[in-house]
Amino acid sequence: MRSLTQSVWRWPTPEQVLEQVQAWAVEQKQNAPGLQQVGVFGSYGRGSAGFGSDLDLLIVDLDARGGQIDRLQRWPLEQLPLSCDALVLTPKELTARLTDGSRMAAELQRDLLWML
């Protein structure tokens, strides 16, 4: 007699994801003094994340230079528990983004949860 083996996806709980993001942020701060803040927004910021949710990450870096691709290469995002969409801004850019009246500004104002 043979039994079939099923694949079961195990997705981390939102609490596990947030704990791991916070630990990642603390570790990054030790290596990058210009790191000011790390936050999550979107479903993890709202508290509505579930199976399959991606991670929306905001990194506030005093030393950010160049375009987003250059800025993102500095951060080991592969160490995070899920794939993520990340945005790296300077503190000045964050202030401008939060007050520009855009849909993104409204989402950040509503959902942003600081981890560092």
Side-chain angles (χ1 to χ4, degrees):
M1 185 173 215
R2 250 175 96 179
S3 65
L4 296 176
T5 304
Q6 292 183 332
S7 293
V8 177
W9 282 89
R10 291 188 182 208
W11 202 260
T13 67
E15 295 79 17
Q16 290 171 322
V17 171
L18 295 176
E19 284 176 15
Q20 290 177 21
V21 170
Q22 188 171 37
W24 180 88
V26 168
E27 182 178 333
Q28 298 314 305
K29 178 68 174 166
Q30 293 172 356
N31 300 322
L35 180 61
Q36 303 291 299
Q37 294 175 288
V38 174
V40 296
F41 60 99
S43 62
Y44 280 94
R46 282 190 304 276
S48 63
F51 181 84
S53 294
D54 73 339
L55 184 62
D56 297 301
L57 191 71
L58 175 63
I59 299 170
V60 182
D61 180 7
L62 192 60
D63 301 324
R65 303 279 185 274
Q68 282 299 310
I69 292 173
D70 293 327
R71 293 177 182 199
L72 288 169
Q73 289 178 352
R74 177 176 183 194
W75 304 103
L77 301 176
E78 71 280 357
Q79 294 175 1
L80 291 165
L82 301 174
S83 65
C84 72
D85 293 323
L87 180 62
V88 182
L89 300 175
T90 65
K92 185 177 179 180
E93 291 169 338
L94 175 61
T95 299
R97 176 65 56 102
L98 289 172
T99 59
D100 68 8
S102 67
R103 181 173 168 241
M104 178 70 159
E107 183 176 345
L108 288 173
Q109 289 172 7
R110 182 188 66 228
D111 299 339
L112 190 56
L113 176 64
W114 292 114
M115 301 279 93
L116 175 72

